[in-house]
Amino acid sequence: MLIQIRPATPQDVDMLLGIYERAYRGGYSACFDRYGAIGPEDFWWVQSEKSVAVVEINRLAAGLLVIGTDRGRMLIEELLLSGGAARRPAGRDEGTLVQRLYEHLAAQVRQAGQDRVLLRAAETNAPALVMAQQLGFAFVDALIVAEGAARQRTAEIPAGYAVVPAAPEHARQVAKLMDDLGMTGAGPRRSRRKPRDGDARVWIAEREGYAAGVAEVRIRDGVGRWQVAVREAHRGKGLGGALAGTALEFCRTQHIKAVTTYWALDAGAARLAQHLGSKTERTYLYLEKRI
């Protein structure tokens, strides 16, 4: 079995798109950071920002490999094989393919001056998970993609707090709060018209004029991508639920799907998602192996 891994070219885009869509069929894409179907223009962008390679088996395109970075570390963002290629290798051939892919990845990591291969794989990505299992990758964390909420009631705001829409004059305060809490945001925007792609709505939780928490909904790809964060001293009082309820109610009134992401090892975020009755749509596993 001949295995080759070569840089992708613009002529490969349609083929890469087909492999990707067969693997995910819409939903949230961590690689492209967008929701819904992926188009050729998305792959053109990724090829300009990240390393994209084609996996060939016996001179036929059989998969794709995308390598990016995560907080300064090289991250194997995608390792996908097409359905036919994923079924063909078996027994010794499967072991050969796994070893060849790992050797390529390890070489890339060494070249970057690092000593661990960090792999991200959706829970449905059997070829990547087979490689991780056979080579002894260890679990690091998981990115959970959750949609909606089974409980649409508005959570009560804790006594002594107020949840208010952020106005333009709050921009500096909101930016500092988001930065302190490790959030990324577009800042407050207010308009009477119906929200459209690129818009954002922000609410802050105040106590005696002090910003204790923040909620944001960004309208992108036709869905409302929401996030909530609360300062540590104000947690455990139901403030996160009140902020999340405000964000979800906004999505409901605008008739847009509400989507969020959180880390599995973030106990507070997991409790909030469970409390809201959010449905897990997709899980990305983060796995690593020391070279």
Side-chain angles (χ1 to χ4, degrees), residues 36-106:
I38 302 302
E41 67 280 2
D42 297 302
F43 262 104
W44 296 332
W45 168 77
V46 162
Q47 285 181 293
S48 69
E49 299 286 334
K50 307 174 184 182
S51 171
V52 183
V54 176
V55 179
E56 293 184 339
I57 299 177
N58 297 329
R59 303 188 186 283
L60 296 175
L64 65 87
L65 177 64
V66 180
I67 301 177
T69 58
D70 178 54
R71 289 166 287 187
R73 292 186 60 185
M74 179 174 287
L75 172 65
I76 315 308
E77 297 196 20
E78 292 290 358
L79 173 54
L80 297 174
L81 297 179
S82 64
R87 287 192 296 268
R88 276 201 298 269
R92 182 177 298 178
D93 281 350
E94 181 184 62
T96 300
L97 176 60
V98 166
Q99 190 60 39
R100 178 68 181 88
L101 289 171
Y102 175 71
E103 289 172 356
H104 176 82
L105 298 176

Side-chain angles (χ1 to χ4, degrees), residues 132-206:
Q133 181 183 36
Q134 290 186 2
L135 297 177
F137 277 66
F139 175 79
V140 176
D141 206 339
L143 181 67
I144 311 296
V145 183
E147 62 173 276
R151 303 173 180 87
Q152 290 290 350
R153 69 179 187 275
T154 302
E156 291 186 9
I157 300 172
Y161 293 90
V163 175
V164 299
E169 57 266 26
H170 294 127
R172 183 172 298 178
Q173 185 181 25
V174 168
K176 184 179 187 308
L177 182 60
M178 287 185 165
D179 186 60
D180 290 345
L181 296 174
M183 295 174 66
T184 57
R189 299 179 188 175
R190 301 179 67 183
S191 173
R192 292 183 180 274
R193 62 174 171 74
K194 182 176 177 60
R196 63 185 182 186
D197 257 24
D199 278 355
R201 295 294 187 274
V202 180
W203 299 264
I204 55 176
E206 294 182 321

Side-chain angles (χ1 to χ4, degrees), residues 104-151:
H104 176 82
L105 298 176
Q108 298 294 310
V109 171
R110 289 193 188 95
Q111 188 174 357
Q114 300 177 21
D115 64 353
R116 293 175 186 266
V117 177
L118 180 61
L119 170 70
R120 180 177 65 208
E123 83 282 10
T124 56
N125 186 349
L129 296 181
V130 165
M131 183 184 78
Q133 181 183 36
Q134 290 186 2
L135 297 177
F137 277 66
F139 175 79
V140 176
D141 206 339
L143 181 67
I144 311 296
V145 183
E147 62 173 276
R151 303 173 180 87

